[in-house]
Amino acid sequence: MNIEEYGGGQQPEPDVLVVTTNDVPGHRVEKVIGEVFGLTVRSRHLGSQIGAGLKSMIGGELKGLTKTLVQTRNQAMERLVEQARARGANAVLAFRFDVTEAADAGTEVCAYGTAVVLVRE
């Protein structure tokens, strides 16, 4: 896998800015819209579970599972941005991910933050 397959985040100059901070330098919050989130649950297929089990015995990175988790996080973030855009936001502040096991069925990834309208100062 190349480095692009491990990353995420936004492209330059997005229409909805997503940041982990509570503010953006040079901008002020004009309106707080509220919490937004993007949620997805992914199950692991049998092949990846067997491969992960074998790999865990000898050690090393579980590249297939890493790639799946990156794709899952990116999908959750895309859903968060769609929700923020639909509610009239141009930014999401205090962005975070929450990852949990979903009843042994798979992995739940929730991207969440506060949707706001930012204006330049």
Side-chain angles (χ1 to χ4, degrees), residues 65-84:
L65 293 178
T66 299
K67 186 175 179 180
T68 298
L69 184 55
V70 168
Q71 292 168 342
T72 303
R73 284 180 173 228
N74 288 343
Q75 183 179 45
M77 186 172 178
E78 288 168 10
R79 290 178 177 176
L80 167 121
V81 168
E82 288 172 14
Q83 187 182 57

Side-chain angles (χ1 to χ4, degrees), residues 6-114:
Y6 288 105
Q10 297 187 290
Q11 301 300 319
E13 299 188 38
D15 64 325
V16 176
L17 178 66
V18 178
V19 297
T20 59
T21 57
N22 293 327
D23 52 26
V24 176
H27 295 76
R28 69 177 170 76
V29 174
E30 181 176 79
K31 179 180 178 183
V32 174
I33 295 171
E35 180 187 14
V36 288
F37 65 91
L39 180 68
T40 186
V41 178
R42 293 277 176 101
S43 64
R44 288 181 230 111
H45 62 77
L46 184 59
S48 71
Q49 286 181 306
I50 292 170
L54 293 172
K55 188 74 166 190
S56 68
M57 288 192 290
I58 60 172
E61 181 181 7
L62 306 174
K63 290 184 180 181
L65 293 178
T66 299
K67 186 175 179 180
T68 298
L69 184 55
V70 168
Q71 292 168 342
T72 303
R73 284 180 173 228
N74 288 343
Q75 183 179 45
M77 186 172 178
E78 288 168 10
R79 290 178 177 176
L80 167 121
V81 168
E82 288 172 14
Q83 187 182 57
R85 186 182 297 119
R87 294 180 63 191
N90 67 356
V92 176
L93 304 179
F95 171 73
R96 303 286 187 269
F97 281 113
D98 185 40
V99 180
T100 58
E101 289 298 311
D104 295 329
T107 303
E108 172 189 328
V109 175
C110 182
Y112 64 94
T114 303

